[in-house]
Amino acid sequence: MERQKTMKTILITGAGSGIGKETAKLFAAKGWNVIATMREPKNDKTFAEMDHVTVMKLDVTNKKDIETVASEVIAQGGLDVLFNNAGIGVKGCLDATPEKSIRQVFETDFMGPAEIMKAFIPYFKTKKSGVLMTTASMSGVISFPYDSVYAAAKHALIGLCESLYYELLPYGIRVKILIPGPINTNFKMQTFISSFNSAHNLKPSKNLSKILIPDFNSLPEAKEVAQVAYEAATSDSDQLEYIIGDVANTLISKYRSQGVEAFKKELANEVYEK
Ligand SMILES: NC(=O)c1ccc[n+]([C@@H]2O[C@H](COP(=O)([O-])OP(=O)(O)OC[C@H]3O[C@@H](n4cnc5c(N)ncnc54)[C@H](OP(=O)(O)O)[C@@H]3O)[C@@H](O)[C@H]2O)c1
């Protein structure tokens, strides 16, 4: 689709489903040019006919894809908001998690966003404006049991963005971190349980959040995250973190107010299925 020069532009990774897709639809509805990137554009059935939405192939782990997308997008008029949203998950025992899966999570959830930001930061610095928005996770703040690899990758991502906040301040570039708790999407987590755990019937509790907050019933939808993404990207505020959903808000405020020593006592009692 033709890009409209008077309209603002957002590039979204992982726009083929879930939070990325809903965010792309919302920005398009609000009159933005949207560059909806995904690994398999041929599977797209949503954006092909939408005005001012351009679908581009971008596997965030593929350096060539990143270079091609960045150079084409900058040549065609650039960007106002870069939204690093694509991500994958893995759960389970670290000792049972294959090296390949650990590397995949770090390549997708950390190296990809870092390399994409590197590809666009010089452009934003020259322009002296722009927003770098990233979907992290509650797991990037609190390390839950059986979540070590995903938590590590999302902690790294939050660390990167927090540092960039200061680094990019003199250039008028704003940094925004979305921190959702569990959201009702088809986000898949590969699970690896060690043979030791199986032999000793040490199964992780199915829903730790539910144990910690027994009265939450329904998860926020991707649309709600998209709404927060829109507010974050368009506000003039210098707010860095956007914690999304009751679960994330309750647990993160509890974690931060109690500190890890008190928080861990409660959580440690609930790690295994009884
Ligand atoms: N759902 C939750 O409970 C939750 C909570 C906290 C944070 N998050 C974060 O929210 C973000 C979006 O997840 P979601 O819930 O919307 O689930 P989702 O529907 O599975 O979205 C993830 C997207 O990332 C894409 N992706 C995966 N690997 C990629 C790669 N190498 N290159 C480009 N795209 C890739 C997937 O595309 P394919 O279709 O090609 O696989 C998919 O479109 C993720 O960063 C996730 O960590 C989710």
Side-chain angles (χ1 to χ4, degrees), residues 41-57:
K42 65 177 183 320
N43 295 341
D44 164 56
K45 291 185 183 66
T46 306
F47 300 117
E49 301 305 320
M50 280 176 72
D51 282 347
H52 312 305
V53 180
T54 308
V55 175
M56 293 183 86
K57 180 193 177 313

Side-chain angles (χ1 to χ4, degrees), residues 224-246:
E224 294 171 54
V225 183
Q227 194 59 48
V228 177
Y230 185 78
E231 283 156 25
T234 54
S235 102
D236 287 332
S237 107
D238 66 353
Q239 186 176 336
L240 175 63
E241 287 185 340
Y242 294 76
I243 299 172
I244 304 164
D246 289 348

Side-chain angles (χ1 to χ4, degrees), residues 17-19 39 58-60 85 87 135-136 150 154 180-181 183 185 187:
S17 64
I19 293 167
R39 281 197 282 202
L58 176 56
D59 178 334
V60 302
N85 164 75
T135 311
Y150 183 66
K154 293 289 190 180
I183 305 297
T185 67
F187 188 60

Side-chain angles (χ1 to χ4, degrees), residues 84-195:
N84 270 303
N85 164 75
I88 57 169
V90 61
K91 273 209 172 298
C93 305
L94 180 63
D95 51 305
T97 307
E99 179 186 344
K100 191 172 166 226
S101 297
I102 300 174
R103 289 191 187 279
Q104 260 172 0
V105 171
F106 269 81
E107 286 297 322
T108 309
D109 293 2
F110 179 75
M111 286 306 300
E115 287 300 322
I116 295 168
M117 285 190 234
K118 277 173 62 186
F120 282 98
I121 284 172
Y123 158 78
F124 283 127
K125 280 184 171 173
T126 308
K127 188 170 122 141
K128 287 201 180 308
S129 69
V131 177
L132 299 183
M133 184 162 66
T134 302
T135 311
S137 168
M138 174 172 74
S139 295
V141 179
I142 308 170
S143 291
F144 292 97
Y146 296 99
D147 201 28
S148 58
V149 174
Y150 183 66
K154 293 289 190 180
H155 270 73
L157 189 58
I158 289 181
L160 177 100
C161 293
E162 191 177 330
S163 178
L164 282 179
Y165 171 84
Y166 303 102
E167 191 174 320
L168 299 177
L169 207 52
Y171 302 93
I173 303 165
R174 284 177 293 130
V175 175
K176 303 281 172 186
I177 313 171
L178 306 187
I179 306 183
I183 305 297
N184 189 19
T185 67
N186 290 325
F187 188 60
K188 289 175 206 79
M189 292 261 188
Q190 277 186 285
T191 305
F192 300 98
I193 299 298
S194 76
S195 49

